[in-house]
Amino acid sequence: MKLWISTIIAAFSLNVQATTLPLDKDLAYKLVESLTVEVGPRLAGSEADIRSVIWAEQHFKQLGFDKVWREPFEMLYWERGDASLRVGAPFNQALVLTALGGSVGTPFDGITAQVVMFNTLEELIAAEPSQVKDRIVFINHALEKDIRGGFYGQVVGGRARGAVEAAKLGAKALLIRSVGSSSNRFAHTGQMRYEEGVPRIPAAAISVPDALQLSKMLSRNPEVSLSLQMNNKLPGTVTSHNVIAEITGSKRPDEIVLISAHLDSWDEGTGALDDGAGVGIVMATAALLKQEKPERTIRVVLFGNEEGGLIGARAYAARHHQQLHKHVFASESDFGAGRVWRFDTGMGEQALQFARQIQQQLAPLGIAMGPNTASGGPDVSILKAQGVPVASLMQDGTDYFDYHHTPNDTLDKIDPTALRQNLEAWLIMTRAIANSSVDLRQ
Amino acid sequence: MKLWISTIIAAFSLNVQATTLPLDKDLAYKLVESLTVEVGPRLAGSEADIRSVIWAEQHFKQLGFDKVWREPFEMLYWERGDASLRVGAPFNQALVLTALGGSVGTPFDGITAQVVMFNTLEELIAAEPSQVKDRIVFINHALEKDIRGGFYGQVVGGRARGAVEAAKLGAKALLIRSVGSSSNRFAHTGQMRYEEGVPRIPAAAISVPDALQLSKMLSRNPEVSLSLQMNNKLPGTVTSHNVIAEITGSKRPDEIVLISAHLDSWDEGTGALDDGAGVGIVMATAALLKQEKPERTIRVVLFGNEEGGLIGARAYAARHHQQLHKHVFASESDFGAGRVWRFDTGMGEQALQFARQIQQQLAPLGIAMGPNTASGGPDVSILKAQGVPVASLMQDGTDYFDYHHTPNDTLDKIDPTALRQNLEAWLIMTRAIANSSVDLRQ
C-alpha cells in the first residue's frame, strides 16, 4: 500500500470512530448522514472511495452483521480537473459547465471554435460533415419531469454517444445541455463513452440556464465562438471494492437474498440522493431484520463504481458466477429518497401470487402493484440478465433529476419522513422474501 | 483610452446593434433579456461594465429618449479570483464558497487553521480572544424567508462587519453562512468592509448546504481544520458611469421625476433579478410614457456600482446637489421581478392624499397602500436623505434571496407575467406624478 493511502486511512480510522447508531426507524437517515458528512463525495477509485469502503466495513460491524468483507476489482480511474467555457465577442461571458465523466481534456491552450447547435442527438447524426467540421457541437435537448424520470433515458443518449457522433463528423468538442430537470445553474455530469477508431474529443455539459443563454446568443449571432479549456486526468488502472455483509440465514443460510445500493458517487455533490440514501436504506433494512432471525441469508452488497458503468456489479457477477443460482432474489435502491409508490417485479409467473401478497402488505404505505418488467436497479440488472429474480421498490423520482449528478446532491435534499417510508417498505419486502421458501425463478 | 478597451468596444458596437424593440407591455422583459444575454454579468469597473454602459446608451436612443448621457465617477475596483476551501482530516472534502466583494486574498499558500463557529455576529463580538485567535471564524447565521426579505437586514451584518470583528479578536479569516434563503448549493456574495487600523483578513461565504455540512462535522470533531485559498485582485481606482436619459416634460421641463435602477451586477450570475429587471422596468416605463407627452421631465437614471456601496448614487447626489430641489420625486426598482404588492411612500403629509389617489389606480393590480416610511430603493435612499420625496413599489421578495448575488440569478428566474404587472404599476405611478403639479415635499 502506498504511503499516502496508509496515512489517510490511519488519520481516518483514528479520528472517525463509527458511532453506535440505535436500531430504529431513523437508522437509514443516520447512515446516509454519517456517510455524506464524514466521507463526503466518493468518486470511484479516489482516495475518498477508500475511505467510504472503510466507513462501510466499520458500520456493518457495529450494526452486528455476521460477516463483513470487501471484494476488489480493477477499474479505469478518471479525475475531473478545472474546466472553463467562455463565449467570445460580442458577448464575452463565461458559462457554467462540468466535464462529463471519462472525457479527455483539451490541449493546454484550449479549443476555440464556432459553435453549431442541434436539438437532439438524432439531428446531429443526420447532419452534413460540412456543418460540423472543426466546430464545437452543442446538443440542446431539454428534459421534462415525470415521476419515473422516464425522459432521462431519451435524453441521456446525447451524453453517452454525443462525442462519438460529433467526432465522426469532424467536430472539435461536444457540449450538451445538462441531462437534468432543474433550472438551477448547475451543470450535470455523468459518464460518456468513446469508440475505437473515432477521435476522442472533449465532452462537457452546460447548465440549463446556460443552454438557454447560449441558444439566445446564437439566435442573435450564429457566428459566435466558444473557448473551452479542460484538464481532466486519466491516470490509468486502480483498485476499487464492493463491500459485502451478511446476516446469516437461520434455516436456509445458503439461499441468498441480495439487497444493494452503490457506495461510489459523483465528485461534485456529496452523493446523498445518489446513492447515499440507498446505502442507508439497505444497511438499515438488514440490520433491523437481524433480530428477527431471517430464514434465508440477507446479503447486503454496496457496489463500487456504479457511476463509471456498473463496474463493481460486473465484477460481482463474474466472481460469483458459480453461486448465482443460490441468489434467490436481488434488488437495489438507487433512485434517490422519494417515497416508494409502486412495487415492480421481475420474476417467474408462478411467483407473482407471492409478490401480490407482499404488495398487500405494502399497500398501507401507498404502494401499488406494478408490472413484471422490473430491472431490479442499475447494478442488479446485471444479475437479472443472468437469471436472478428481482424486484424494484419504485421511488418518486419527480425531483430526482433536479439534483442528481450535480453539486446540489447534498443531505439537506433528503426528506427524513420519505426515507422512513422507504425503510418500512424495504423491511416488508425483504422480511417476506427472507422468511419464504417460494422459488421466485418459477 | 487603453487599447484593450477600445478593441472590446469596437467589437461590441460592430456585432450587437441594438434591435428595435416594440413599445408594448413586453418591453421590460425584452430589455432585461437583451441586457443579460448580450452583456451578461457586469461587475462595476470591469470590461463588461463598459459594455453595459454602451448597451444602455444605444437602447435609450433607439427607444426615442430626448436626451441621453453618461456621468463618470471614480471607484475602487475589486475582482474575484479563484477560491477554494477544503476541510482537513478526517473529512477531506471541498466546500463550495465565494469570496465576499472587497475581500483581500490569502497568502499564496493559503491559510490553514482550526475553525470556530458562532451562531451570530453578536456571539462573535462577545467572544474571548482566546477562542478566536489564529482561527478561521465561521458565522452560521440562518436566514428565514418573508415577503419583504426583512430578515436579510438582520443577517447581513455578519457579511458586512464580520471580518472586522473577527480580526479584532485575532482571527485569520472569516467564513459566513450565505446570506441567502435557498438550500441550493450556491454561495452568496455581496460587499464586505474593512476598518482603518484593523487587520484585513480574507472573507468568504459558504453555501447553505455547506454550512449545514460544516456544522455537522464540527459536532463530530470540534478540532477540524480548514484550508482556504483565495486570490482576489484589488487593481485600484477606475472610472465607471451612471447612464441617464430623459423624456423632456411638455409643461414643466425643469421639474424632474427620477425613476431608476442599477446597471451593475455581481459577477457570478447574469444580474437578471438584481437588477436587470429593474433596468427593464424603468426604461420601458419612460419609453412608453413618451407618447403621452408627460408634463414634468421623466429622468431615468441607471446607477453604476450599486453593489459596491451605492457609489454611483453618491456620485449622482454630489454632482446634482444644486439641482436636487428640482427633483420632485425619485424611486428605484431593485428587489427582483416579483409582483408589486404594496405602494409605500416617503413624502410630505399633505401629499399623502395624492398618494392615496395613486394607490386607488394601483388597487386593481392587487397593490395596497403602505406606510410613509419608504426608502425609495437603495440608491434613491441617498436622494431621500437630501430631501427628495420618494416612493417604493414593493415587490414580492419571498424568493428573491434564493437567487440574488449567486450564479443562479439568471433570466429564466423572471416570470414575464409578474414583470408586466410591475411595468403596469410603474406606468400608473410615474404617469400620475409626471402629470401632476402636487408638491410631494409638503
Side-chain angles (χ1 to χ4, degrees), chain B residues 100-121:
Chain B
L100 296 181
S103 171
V104 298
T106 61
F108 182 77
D109 289 339
I111 292 171
T112 297
Q114 279 189 19
V115 61
V116 55
M117 184 174 88
F118 298 97
N119 291 310
T120 62
L121 176 66

Side-chain angles (χ1 to χ4, degrees), chain A residues 33 38 184 216 220 408, chain B residues 33 38 184 216 220 408:
Chain A
E33 179 186 59
E38 293 162 24
N184 287 320
K216 283 176 188 285
R220 285 161 159 79
N408 213 14
Chain B
E33 179 186 58
E38 293 161 24
N184 287 319
K216 283 176 188 286
R220 284 162 160 76
N408 214 13

Side-chain angles (χ1 to χ4, degrees), chain B residues 136-156:
Chain B
I136 295 175
V137 163
F138 169 43
I139 303 179
N140 187 25
H141 198 158
L143 180 71
E144 284 168 19
K145 283 190 183 192
D146 65 280
I147 196 169
R148 296 186 58 193
F151 206 78
Y152 187 73
Q154 295 173 45
V155 172
V156 76

Side-chain angles (χ1 to χ4, degrees), chain A residues 13-339:
Chain A
S13 308
L14 195 68
N15 284 300
V16 182
Q17 292 303 329
T19 329
T20 307
L21 299 172
L23 292 172
D24 61 22
K25 292 295 167 69
D26 286 324
L27 182 56
Y29 188 85
K30 294 287 182 195
L31 284 163
V32 57
E33 179 186 59
S34 171
L35 176 61
T36 56
V37 169
E38 293 162 24
V39 179
R42 44 204 180 278
L43 186 69
S46 70
E47 164 273 325
D49 188 22
I50 301 170
R51 287 190 285 121
S52 74
V53 167
I54 298 169
W55 175 92
E57 290 173 334
Q58 285 185 342
H59 283 81
F60 275 130
K61 285 175 191 159
Q62 297 205 348
L63 290 168
F65 279 73
D66 298 314
K67 294 184 194 163
V68 181
W69 72 98
R70 61 171 88 171
E71 294 181 350
F73 59 86
E74 301 290 287
M75 56 162 282
L76 273 177
Y77 182 56
W78 175 87
E79 190 181 318
R80 186 183 312 282
D82 295 327
S84 73
L85 179 65
R86 279 196 72 84
V87 187
F91 303 116
N92 295 319
Q93 54 190 280
L95 302 181
V96 170
L97 86 163
T98 190
L100 295 180
S103 171
V104 298
T106 60
F108 183 77
D109 289 340
I111 291 171
T112 297
Q114 279 189 19
V115 61
V116 55
M117 183 173 90
F118 298 98
N119 291 310
T120 62
L121 176 64
E122 291 65 36
E123 265 192 21
L124 166 63
I125 291 172
E128 295 298 320
S130 61
Q131 293 174 264
V132 174
K133 189 165 163 33
D134 293 334
R135 295 204 170 196
I136 295 175
V137 163
F138 169 44
I139 303 178
N140 187 26
H141 199 159
L143 181 71
E144 284 169 18
K145 284 191 184 192
D146 66 281
I147 195 169
R148 296 186 57 192
F151 206 78
Y152 188 72
Q154 295 173 45
V155 172
V156 76
R159 186 184 84 204
R161 304 202 319 274
V164 167
E165 299 301 339
K168 282 181 188 169
L169 296 169
K172 288 190 163 178
L174 172 77
L175 295 176
I176 62 167
R177 178 182 175 128
S178 280
V179 184
S181 51
S182 160
S183 67
N184 287 320
R185 202 180 187 188
F186 294 113
H188 177 282
T189 192
Q191 193 66 20
M192 54 79 65
R193 309 200 194 301
Y194 292 117
E195 205 172 280
E196 208 57 47
V198 179
R200 299 180 164 224
I201 61 172
I206 61 176
S207 83
V208 170
D210 288 279
L212 297 170
Q213 182 85 340
L214 181 55
S215 64
K216 283 176 188 285
M217 288 171 181
L218 288 170
S219 74
R220 285 161 159 79
N221 184 338
E223 306 295 300
V224 71
S225 75
L226 299 177
S227 295
L228 174 69
Q229 273 193 307
M230 295 202 298
N231 59 351
N232 307 318
K233 300 172 196 80
L234 289 154
T237 302
V238 300
T239 301
S240 185
H241 300 85
N242 297 320
V243 183
I244 305 175
E246 284 184 352
I247 308 294
T248 308
S250 58
K251 293 205 176 151
R252 292 180 294 288
D254 60 329
E255 295 181 9
I256 295 166
V257 174
L258 185 152
I259 61 176
S260 63
H262 66 85
L263 190 53
D264 67 309
S265 79
W266 282 107
D267 51 331
E268 297 191 295
T270 63
L273 295 168
D274 186 15
D275 182 25
V279 168
I281 289 165
V282 299
M283 287 178 78
T285 297
L288 294 178
L289 289 178
K290 180 184 160 74
Q291 46 206 356
E292 301 179 16
K293 302 195 192 308
E295 298 179 9
R296 287 164 162 168
T297 289
I298 299 176
R299 177 179 288 183
V300 179
V301 181
L302 302 182
F303 292 106
N305 201 5
E306 187 269 351
E307 298 293 1
L310 317 178
I311 311 301
R314 292 179 212 277
Y316 180 90
R319 177 187 288 252
H320 296 274
H321 184 65
Q322 300 298 333
Q323 304 99 42
L324 287 187
H325 68 285
K326 284 293 187 186
H327 287 59
V328 301
F329 175 77
S331 188
E332 183 172 24
S333 175
D334 181 23
F335 205 61
R339 290 177 67 88

